[in-house]
Amino acid sequence: MANRAEELDPDVCCIDDLKSRASVQLPQMYRDYYNEGPMDLLTLRDNEAAFDRYKIRPKILVDVNYIDTSSELFGTKVSFPLGLSPTAMHKLAHPDGEVATSRAAAATGISMVLSSYSTCSIEDATAQGLEIPYAMQMCVLKDRKITLHLEARRGGCKALFLSVDNAVLGKRLNEFRNKFELPVDMTWPNILSHSSVHSDGVYYDAGMNLEETIPWLRDNSNLQIWLKGVNRADDVQLAIKLGLDGIVISNHGGRQLDGVPATLDVLRECAPIATGKVHLAIDSGIRRGSDISKALALDASHCFIGRAAVWGLAKGVELGIKILLQELRITMALAGCRSIKDIDSSFLSVLQPNGILAKL
Ligand SMILES: Cc1cc2nc3c(=O)[nH]c(=O)nc-3n(C[C@H](O)[C@H](O)[C@H](O)COP(=O)(O)O)c2cc1C
Ligand SMILES: CC(C)CC(=O)C(=O)O
């Protein structure tokens, strides 16, 4: 049968399998750091549950012999509208770290955003994929001499993703209980070529404000600037006013402020403001190809995954990406969508508490 998992691994058929595999392989301290979040994990759970509240409405009798999943990010073609969110310290899960993750992104033709706290250099990571779009995540650090935006350009990145949801770290109980710490031989080369791990300057500047930071970045970089971690309609309006290139609706995968709404619900609220004015992407909670189709139907132009990629480091990041692509293709075929632009709000309904399906 045409759709049967082709070359996929029978032991790992879905992202949940990948999570189980990674969870038994990783030491508890790192497994909990990856899998969990702050306090009661309310947002972490709701990010995933939100995708189940939206129901797909398939259109019948569409010729789906040929499905085109291709899309575009930062003006570069990608095989489907999925990218890797910035996640710190890949060497905790695999000795090749971000180089391995980047290799998988390149092999599958998708985008990758590198974390400021990557354990490989930007140059080593981006050398893996000459055809795919890379971006660099940055926070404004206390030490302004740590110029990640300049490193990003040297490394061939097309965009900067400014994280705006981490003025301080969320209260992650697992990190307290497990006394989380980095192995002594692990460093953050993109930050530490300029500073020492013991310097306070390598941490976030909690006083950062956009009115000052965006012009500073524009003066010092010609890369696209995206905001990552937007959760309110008025902040979408601010991003448009400041002329930003893109926004990622994100709650850091439910790792920062527990109790904020699921990103899919925030996307639904913010998309009408952003459409046609600024690129809009989403992350947090994406575990299935059908989740990607739901976000696209709610007007996201791109989706990103965090944990699904780090779980992949235990068994194959490429395998995880291929699983999501296969599931997206099957969803599109069964829903009657031949291309990404066919996926619109007519393909979704919401199940209301009274049990009645409502159109968007
Ligand atoms: C282990 C881990 C490390 C992360 N490190 C960063 C980081 O360095 N910078 C950042 O902006 N976001 C970071 N994030 C958040 C991700 O970019 C992303 O928003 C989140 O993982 C998406 O949710 P998901 O894991 O449910 O896909 C991290 C997430 C995880 C799981
Ligand atoms: C080094 C970090 C603080 C990375 C991060 O953003 C996270 O763990 O969610």
Side-chain angles (χ1 to χ4, degrees):
M1 192 186 283
N3 281 331
R4 277 274 149 77
E6 293 131 25
E7 73 272 41
L8 297 185
D9 183 330
D11 292 335
V12 180
C13 300
C14 60
I15 299 299
D16 220 34
D17 289 349
L18 210 53
K19 176 181 179 181
S20 308
R21 185 60 79 96
S23 298
V24 292
Q25 268 178 239
L26 288 166
Q28 183 182 351
M29 181 191 288
Y30 303 149
R31 182 191 66 216
D32 293 351
Y33 169 68
Y34 286 150
N35 294 3
E36 297 192 8
M39 298 306 293
D40 303 302
L41 315 182
L42 300 175
T43 298
L44 173 59
R45 291 198 194 98
D46 200 38
N47 280 336
E48 294 182 17
F51 285 99
D52 302 344
R53 292 196 282 271
Y54 292 82
K55 309 292 172 188
I56 303 170
R57 313 304 303 270
K59 197 164 167 55
I60 57 164
L61 302 180
V62 176
D63 175 356
V64 289
N65 272 308
Y66 179 72
I67 301 278
D68 179 8
T69 59
S70 66
S71 184
E72 205 186 87
L73 186 71
F74 321 136
T76 303
K77 191 172 174 191
V78 288
S79 60
F80 69 121
L82 183 80
L84 306 185
S85 283
T87 46
M89 302 179 289
H90 290 189
K91 282 193 180 174
L92 292 181
H94 191 286
D96 291 347
E98 288 77 10
V99 165
T101 331
S102 176
R103 223 179 274 137
T108 50
I110 67 164
S111 58
M112 176 173 184
V113 186
L114 282 147
S115 165
S116 296
Y117 298 94
S118 293
T119 39
C120 297
S121 74
I122 305 180
E123 283 89 347
D124 287 349
T126 56
Q128 309 305 314
L130 299 175
E131 313 272 306
I132 60 165
Y134 287 94
M136 175 82 193
Q137 174 266 331
M138 55 178 289
C139 329
V140 172
L141 303 176
K142 287 183 187 158
D143 181 354
R144 286 287 177 102
K145 291 201 292 306
I146 302 175
T147 46
L148 285 162
H149 48 292
L150 301 182
E151 303 282 335
R153 197 180 55 202
R154 268 200 292 282
C157 291
K158 297 236 158 68
L160 296 170
F161 275 34
L162 185 65
S163 294
V164 289
D165 57 5
N166 48 4
V168 297
L169 216 55
K171 183 168 177 182
R172 302 164 184 183
L173 304 185
N174 75 88
E175 293 182 29
F176 290 101
R177 289 181 177 137
N178 293 333
K179 300 189 173 55
F180 179 87
E181 60 180 8
L182 284 185
V184 280
D185 56 345
M186 203 165 286
T187 61
W188 304 318
N190 304 301
I191 291 180
L192 297 181
S193 52
H194 303 275
S195 195
S196 139
V197 73
H198 304 296
S199 146
D200 194 38
V202 300
Y203 296 106
Y204 316 129
D205 177 2
M208 189 260 284
N209 75 73
L210 290 182
E211 280 83 356
E212 183 230 346
T213 302
I214 301 303
W216 171 71
L217 277 179
R218 286 257 182 255
D219 284 349
N220 287 285
S221 161
N222 55 2
L223 305 184
Q224 288 197 14
I225 304 176
W226 288 51
L227 288 189
K228 172 176 180 283
V230 173
N231 280 278
R232 286 166 55 133
D234 55 356
D235 285 335
V236 172
Q237 272 154 348
L238 175 65
I240 295 168
K241 191 174 125 210
L242 292 170
L244 288 156
D245 299 283
I247 292 171
V248 188
I249 303 288
S250 170
N251 52 40
H252 223 96
R255 296 169 69 80
Q256 284 293 91
L257 181 57
D258 199 26
V260 305
T263 49
L264 198 65
D265 294 326
V266 176
L267 174 68
R268 187 177 175 195
E269 183 183 273
C270 292
I273 301 161
T275 303
K277 298 200 175 99
V278 64
H279 294 292
L280 191 62
I282 181 174
D283 76 12
S284 303
I286 292 172
R287 307 284 182 261
R288 300 173 288 215
S290 59
D291 297 343
I292 299 172
S293 77
K294 291 176 184 179
L296 299 177
L298 281 169
D299 248 358
S301 60
H302 216 77
C303 297
F304 289 93
I305 47 166
R307 291 186 183 81
V310 288
W311 292 327
L313 280 163
K315 177 72 188 175
V317 182
E318 195 176 327
L319 175 63
I321 298 167
K322 283 183 172 163
I323 287 172
L324 291 169
L325 175 57
Q326 183 208 37
E327 290 171 1
L328 176 65
R329 292 179 68 85
I330 293 172
T331 305
M332 287 172 69
L334 293 178
C337 298
R338 278 183 294 224
S339 71
I340 293 298
K341 70 172 168 28
D342 287 346
I343 305 175
D344 64 24
S345 60
S346 72
F347 288 92
L348 278 196
S349 290
V350 189
L351 188 60
Q352 299 179 115
N354 61 7
I356 294 174
L357 283 170
K359 288 206 76 63
L360 293 182

